[in-house]
Amino acid sequence: MSFTSLLSTKIVRAASIADAAFDAVVLVGSQESVTQFGAIKQVSAIAPVVDKFLKLHNGAFHSTSLVQVDSSVVPSGRLILAGTGHVSRDYDDVRRYQAAARKGIELPLGWSQISSLGYSPKFSFPECGACCCSRSSHTSLYPTQCARGGKQAEVASTWTLGRKFKLVELHSIVLKQFLTLPAVFQVGESDTSSQLEKLVAAYDASFTVCRDVGETGPERMAPPRVAEYVQGAFANGNIKVTVVDDQSVILKDFPLMAAVNRAANAVKEHQARLIRLEYVGEGETQDTFFVVGKGVTIDTGGCDLKTGGHMFGMCRDKYGSAVVGGFFKAIDVLKPKNIKAVGYMCMVRNSIGSRAYTCDEVITSRSGKRIHIYNTDAEGRLTMLDPLTLAKEEALKAKNPHLFTVATLTGHEVLSYGYYAAIMDNGPAKASGWARKVQEVGDEFGQPIEISRLHPEDFAFHLAECEQADLRQGNTKPSVATLRGHQTPAAFLQMASRIDEHGTDSSHPLKYTHIDMGGCEGDHPSVSFPNPLVTLVAGLVLPHV
């Protein structure tokens, strides 16, 4: 699978907005930015056109409009004015630009084959260029793997003909001068625009990997097929991929993961896979990241069966692993220095059948903790637990390690935060200030993330109620009917993996962060928005690029 086959569209630089290769110029801006267009040399010729149009339609910057412009300025005669609306109120953020850019890109999709040049000034938000270029247009252009027939060789032609879009062009001079990325690139350097292109391409490819794994149905992306896809996506790259497919090994080394997949094992095509991704950057390692993702290809609920239509869309219960795959694709492209990253994609299918695991079972985990099963529909924490324990074992020997779990884990998180992921730090991670730092990064890059805290009762909740077990998995109620329903699983994962034995008071503290995505990727079957992939890449990878 080639790198270009993972891009939703080709990205090249343009010399001028007067380049005849373009069928349109997309201008993303706000009412506050109108007076500044004339002072910007590269787009000053458009300013009189915008001024004239605003006299006819003074609400233009609150909508998306197609404006006719003289062909001597823009050869195609087309200017798409994509207004952001207000951007200066206390609650406005960079996503105003993101939404405007997406509408600007979607407007010409009904035309025949097109090429468009996108321009957005930074003004209030320094990261609006990355938001506009790397996320909005690619969301509009992404065709699902199912629509592509699952055949990577056909991707290029399908994306052009099926989506009626040929190129998204970036104006290098404007981007260099006005789309500053202070946390990533040095402003004013001659290679700023090429660096931005690389960042956009990295995000685009990572989005494709994430969406292909996360959105595709339970047969096309059953565990073995996810493994095959990942091996293809990282072939001949910078990521080492190892797949554990021996079910006897999974049963021995990852007993809880095996339990969740027990009913599905009767079908060879549904057997579990543990996919390990590893990257070692150039130079001495300064930071080591271990990222474990929940990968339930379809969640029936198991014996605690989902009823009343609640199973619909559960093919996205593997989106935690999908984010892990996308995260490593960004690493593969950007090649950050001085870090090591290890990922575990825990691919299972929570089926129902005569061999299904049930409540009342007590299963001994990799860490030696005995886990009492209360609810088979709380399978995500079980799926990740043993790989997390393995990651903890590796972290004890690593340089400045930080462990993560990423999962679409609870409905409680959705009720609490809507379409925003929640992060929960243990003591060492909290002491490092990581949550606050990454929250600021998420705000800058248009993918906000919320912070939840853990309290003593979250840990007490999971203590066993009988002598035959050390911990209870949860309770018999759904998370939405459980007090602190999205916080307690983070405590469980720490206790069951023994990460809690490496707190701030220990001789060997380990940083650990649990990320409950809830449903922040969006509702099935609409095209998803990889979340919190953007924030994780910006917070963990870009500082090392």
Side-chain angles (χ1 to χ4, degrees):
M1 189 185 308
S2 67
F3 172 69
T4 55
S5 72
L6 295 174
L7 298 178
S8 59
T9 187
K10 186 179 179 181
I11 302 166
V12 298
R13 282 182 285 172
S16 168
I17 61 172
D19 193 325
F22 301 104
D23 292 309
V25 170
V26 180
L27 179 64
V28 182
S30 65
Q31 192 73 43
E32 294 89 334
S33 64
V34 174
T35 58
Q36 302 185 49
F37 289 138
I40 302 172
K41 179 181 178 181
Q42 291 80 10
V43 293
S44 59
I46 293 178
V49 179
V50 175
D51 290 339
K52 183 178 180 180
F53 184 72
L54 286 174
K55 291 177 181 178
L56 295 174
H57 180 20
N58 60 11
F61 278 101
H62 293 269
S63 60
T64 304
S65 308
L66 176 61
V67 182
Q68 185 175 7
V69 59
D70 191 277
S71 60
S72 63
V73 178
V74 176
S76 69
R78 301 186 187 101
L79 170 65
I80 297 174
L81 190 60
T84 63
H86 295 292
V87 296
S88 58
R89 297 169 300 190
D90 289 347
Y91 52 87
D92 292 323
D93 61 33
V94 71
R95 288 174 294 172
R96 294 281 184 183
Y97 287 88
Q98 176 185 304
R102 180 171 181 174
K103 291 178 181 178
I105 290 294
E106 287 176 345
L107 180 62
L109 286 179
W111 306 348
S112 59
Q113 301 293 334
I114 65 165
S115 303
S116 69
L117 182 154
Y119 164 71
S120 170
K122 75 179 183 71
F123 299 125
S124 303
F125 304 102
E127 304 297 351
C128 67
C131 287
C132 293
C133 299
S134 66
R135 298 194 283 286
S136 302
S137 60
H138 298 156
T139 298
S140 303
L141 299 174
Y142 172 76
T144 65
Q145 199 209 34
C146 185
R148 304 196 305 264
K151 299 177 181 178
Q152 292 298 326
E154 298 178 3
V155 165
S157 61
T158 303
W159 286 359
T160 299
L161 300 177
R163 300 297 295 176
K164 295 183 179 180
F165 204 94
K166 188 184 295 181
L167 302 173
V168 172
E169 307 280 359
L170 304 181
H171 186 223
S172 62
I173 300 175
V174 175
L175 288 174
K176 179 175 68 176
Q177 186 171 354
F178 296 101
L179 299 187
T180 61
L181 300 177
V184 185
F185 309 114
Q186 292 185 0
V187 182
E189 294 295 327
S190 59
D191 64 345
T192 300
S193 56
S194 61
Q195 290 277 39
L196 181 58
E197 287 180 55
K198 186 176 181 180
L199 175 62
V200 171
Y203 268 129
D204 192 13
S206 70
F207 277 23
T208 297
V209 170
C210 183
R211 286 172 170 146
D212 281 355
V213 173
E215 292 185 12
T216 309
E219 289 298 320
R220 289 178 180 271
M221 278 294 170
R225 290 195 172 186
V226 173
E228 293 171 5
Y229 174 89
V230 170
Q231 288 173 318
F234 291 98
N236 304 314
N238 302 293
I239 308 297
K240 179 182 178 182
V241 179
T242 307
V243 178
V244 180
D245 57 5
D246 188 325
Q247 300 307 300
S248 63
V249 173
I250 292 177
L251 178 62
K252 175 178 177 292
D253 294 341
F254 312 100
L256 284 162
M257 181 178 168
V260 173
N261 208 72
R262 191 192 299 161
N265 267 353
V267 180
K268 184 177 180 181
E269 292 79 9
H270 296 167
Q271 290 181 348
R273 296 290 187 272
L274 180 63
I275 306 167
R276 187 179 193 274
L277 307 170
E278 182 178 350
Y279 170 83
V280 180
E282 179 184 334
E284 182 181 354
T285 298
Q286 298 174 356
D287 298 294
T288 310
F289 305 123
F290 296 89
V291 191
V292 180
K294 173 186 174 183
V296 180
T297 58
I298 185 70
D299 182 15
T300 69
C303 288
D304 286 294
L305 189 67
K306 292 181 184 293
T307 59
H310 290 101
M311 202 184 302
F312 181 76
M314 282 296 107
C315 65
R316 290 194 178 182
D317 214 16
K318 58 187 180 302
Y319 219 93
S321 277
V323 167
V324 173
F327 178 75
F328 274 83
K329 192 63 206 179
I331 290 177
D332 189 24
V333 177
L334 296 171
K335 298 188 282 290
K337 299 179 180 180
N338 307 115
I339 72 164
K340 178 179 179 180
V342 176
Y344 286 101
M345 299 172 66
C346 313
M347 308 309 304
V348 298
R349 178 181 171 115
N350 190 19
S351 296
I352 186 171
S354 59
R355 286 282 295 154
Y357 85 116
T358 68
C359 60
D360 299 348
E361 290 189 41
V362 176
I363 305 172
T364 302
S365 67
R366 180 186 180 95
S367 71
K369 290 292 184 74
R370 299 167 298 167
I371 311 301
H372 193 175
I373 307 301
Y374 275 55
N375 187 338
T376 63
D377 198 19
E379 83 297 332
R381 66 198 72 177
L382 302 179
T383 301
M384 295 187 293
L385 175 56
D386 292 324
L388 174 62
T389 304
L390 172 58
K392 181 214 70 177
E393 295 165 5
E394 296 179 78
L396 290 171
K397 305 172 185 177
K399 180 71 175 291
N400 193 24
H402 195 151
L403 296 141
F404 298 85
T405 43
V406 187
T408 50
L409 210 63
T410 66
H412 186 277
E413 196 278 341
V414 180
L415 291 181
S416 300
Y417 294 121
Y419 294 109
Y420 300 93
I423 50 178
M424 288 152 271
D425 281 347
N426 73 342
K430 182 180 178 181
S432 74
W434 187 82
R436 293 295 179 190
K437 293 174 185 175
V438 80
Q439 188 178 55
E440 292 178 0
V441 169
D443 289 346
E444 291 175 4
F445 279 78
Q447 196 172 75
I449 194 166
E450 300 288 356
I451 298 175
S452 280
R453 302 195 318 174
L454 301 183
H455 294 290
E457 55 265 38
D458 299 322
F459 293 84
F461 177 79
H462 284 284
L463 295 175
E465 297 180 305
C466 60
E467 293 184 356
Q468 63 178 322
D470 299 301
L471 299 170
R472 64 170 180 164
Q473 165 215 29
N475 60 10
T476 59
K477 300 176 182 179
S479 68
V480 294
T482 301
L483 290 175
R484 302 186 60 77
H486 76 269
Q487 290 96 335
T488 65
F492 169 80
L493 286 165
Q494 291 184 51
M495 298 167 75
S497 65
R498 298 184 185 271
I499 288 176
D500 66 326
E501 298 174 7
H502 297 277
T504 53
D505 62 340
S506 72
S507 60
H508 198 151
L510 288 176
K511 290 176 288 187
Y512 167 68
T513 299
H514 173 60
I515 303 176
D516 190 342
M517 300 164 54
C520 67
E521 75 283 357
D523 298 325
H524 176 79
S526 299
V527 174
S528 64
F529 188 48
N531 190 346
L533 177 57
V534 172
T535 298
L536 288 178
V537 172
L540 297 178
V541 179
L542 296 189
H544 295 275
V545 174

